């Protein structure tokens, strides 16, 4: 059974957008002004991920297709009619071309850097190193006094 749960991280001018996804996704700019940006919503075919406003013509409305494969790799497809997707090692994915990649991978779409990686819970949100103590409780660590 393949694990098709993955994470998309979009880096743009110091801002980070994170989408936890499973299955296929189409990534691009807004198709209408009503579409929130950035956002990711479930569709009948997988996910629609909006990473740029309608005015950003460096990114197509449907620019990058991402599809998990049974062997654990992912199929990236450039769905743009005329714009490139930049892959690692100075390779470009021309319009209509596809490439199989292993995660994690960083690609450039327009002016944005996208990191596709296996899903992982945010380490900072898992738990605190020590349980929170009620006021007036003794310390759980020997030799540490709580005043």
């Amino acid at each position: 059974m393949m694990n098709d749960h993955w994470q998309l991280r979009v880096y743009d001018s110091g801002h980070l957008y994170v989408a936890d996804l499973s299955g296929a996704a189409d990534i691009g700019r807004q198709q209408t002004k009503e579409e929130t940006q950035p956002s990711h919503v479930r569709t009948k075919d997988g996910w629609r991920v909006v990473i740029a406003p309608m005015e950003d013509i460096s990114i197509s409305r449907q620019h990058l297709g991402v599809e998990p494969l049974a062997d654990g790799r992912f199929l990236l497809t450039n769905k743009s009619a005329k714009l490139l997707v930049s892959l690692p090692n100075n390779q470009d994915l021309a319009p209509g071309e596809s490439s199989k990649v292993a995660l994690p991978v960083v690609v450039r779409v327009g002016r944005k850097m996208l990191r596709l990686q296996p899903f992982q819970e945010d380490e900072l949100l898992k738990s605190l190193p020590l349980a929170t103590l009620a006021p007036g409780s003794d310390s759980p660590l020997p030799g540490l006094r709580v005043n």
Side-chain angles (χ1 to χ4, degrees), residues 97-134:
E97 287 186 346
S98 296
S99 179
K100 294 177 183 177
V101 299
L103 300 190
V105 66
V106 176
V107 300
R108 186 174 55 79
V109 174
R111 295 185 269 280
K112 300 184 190 290
M113 298 302 291
L114 282 54
R115 178 180 167 89
L116 288 66
Q117 64 187 34
F119 175 76
Q120 58 192 35
E121 289 183 46
D122 195 327
E123 293 296 322
L124 298 174
L125 298 179
K126 280 189 178 176
S127 66
L128 297 172
L130 296 173
T132 304
L133 297 175

Side-chain angles (χ1 to χ4, degrees), residues 37 41 48 52 64 71 94 98 103-104 120 124:
Q37 140 347 89
V41 294
R48 164 84 178 133
L64 179 65
D71 66 3
S98 296
L103 300 190
Q120 58 192 35
L124 298 174

Side-chain angles (χ1 to χ4, degrees), residues 130-147:
L130 296 173
T132 304
L133 297 175
S137 298
D138 290 328
S139 171
L141 299 176
L144 181 65
R145 260 199 228 148
V146 179
N147 291 334

